[in-house]
Amino acid sequence: MTSTVPALGTRTAEGSALQAVLLDMDGTLVDTEGFWWDVEVEVFAALGHALDDSWRHVVVGGPMARSAGFLIEATGADITLAELTVLLNRGFEDRIDGALPLMPGAARLLAELSAHEIPTALVSASHRRIIDRVLTALGPQNFALTVAGDEVARTKPHPDPYLLAAAGLGAEPARCAVVEDTATGVAAAEAAGCHVVAVPSVAPISPAPRRTVVTSLEEVDLAFLRGLMTEKR
């Protein structure tokens, strides 16, 4: 975990209940959920197995161990979880070596949060080696703290990553806004007690108490995120 955490009292706008913004990575800020599925398809094809497209909704947004473990069990492939993890991470890294597409509105939102000195964390189920590569496209200066999936005992859908991020920023989870694109990530953020903005990337997500669903990050700005703190639900 990396951190250059600002003093909360000087970084939160006066009169705003919003203390921090916590952002998922794959499918939320960078358009990479499809990359993971393409890699999984290719790796299993090399092992002699075809993946059912319906499984994509099962593995999206989850920790590597859960997604890879499911695919091994579903296909019966003769490979260990550790071996498969290496192949998947390597294949993904090969893809992000080229141009890494940001989601619409991502660059503008990060710039706005940075300009207003809102404590911001990147919270991902991806491993540290992947996050550090993607940060070059997102701009490491936009994040006071980053949390990787291989740095917590329990990653998403457990609340641990978001609780760790909130604590690292000195924020109360109930006064944090989380932006996520999958049901797995939403479950983690809600279990941590955060307000959630869901921007579905692969599978639909329904609105719920303390959860707002939008179609694009282009609908999300600082005023929108601050408004989540004052809505009565």
Side-chain angles (χ1 to χ4, degrees):
M1 180 172 64
T2 62
S3 176
T4 53
V5 182
L8 186 64
T10 63
R11 300 297 236 186
T12 302
E14 184 177 356
S16 171
L18 178 67
Q19 290 185 335
V21 177
L22 316 177
L23 300 153
D24 175 53
M25 187 176 76
D26 293 301
T28 298
L29 293 177
V30 287
D31 191 7
T32 50
E33 287 293 9
F35 287 15
W36 282 112
W37 179 248
D38 290 345
V39 170
E40 288 159 350
V41 168
E42 289 181 9
V43 167
F44 277 90
L47 295 170
H49 299 274
L51 300 188
D52 190 312
D53 196 60
S54 66
W55 296 343
R56 183 172 181 175
H57 291 180
V58 179
V59 301
V60 67
M64 178 73 75
R66 189 195 74 181
S67 300
F70 168 82
L71 293 174
I72 290 172
E73 182 176 355
T75 62
D78 184 19
I79 189 170
T80 67
L81 181 60
E83 292 169 338
L84 180 57
T85 296
V86 170
L87 293 178
L88 294 178
N89 275 326
R90 184 182 300 157
F92 185 79
E93 288 181 51
D94 288 343
R95 276 169 170 73
I96 63 176
D97 277 341
L100 189 58
L102 301 189
M103 297 299 288
R108 187 263 316 148
L109 177 60
L110 290 175
E112 183 180 16
L113 295 175
S114 179
H116 288 82
E117 300 186 316
I118 303 299
T120 302
L122 185 67
V123 184
S124 176
S126 290
H127 290 186
R128 168 56 58 190
R129 59 186 289 182
I130 298 295
I131 287 181
D132 287 345
R133 298 281 284 273
V134 175
L135 273 174
T136 60
L138 291 174
Q141 73 279 3
N142 290 316
F143 303 96
L145 180 139
T146 64
V147 178
D150 56 343
E151 296 174 339
V152 289
R154 302 186 307 169
T155 188
K156 304 172 187 180
H158 298 287
D160 305 36
Y162 282 113
L163 291 174
L164 180 62
L169 295 176
E172 301 170 27
R175 294 177 69 179
C176 292
V178 170
V179 185
E180 273 280 359
D181 73 304
T182 67
T184 298
V186 167
E190 291 181 341
C194 304
H195 292 263
V196 180
V197 179
V199 193
S201 62
V202 176
I205 298 173
S206 300
R210 297 174 67 86
R211 180 196 309 167
T212 301
V213 180
V214 298
T215 59
S216 169
L217 280 183
E218 293 181 317
E219 301 175 44
V220 181
D221 58 15
L222 181 53
F224 179 95
L225 295 174
R226 283 178 171 155
L228 298 178
M229 302 296 115
T230 59
E231 290 182 11
K232 294 181 180 180
R233 307 193 184 196

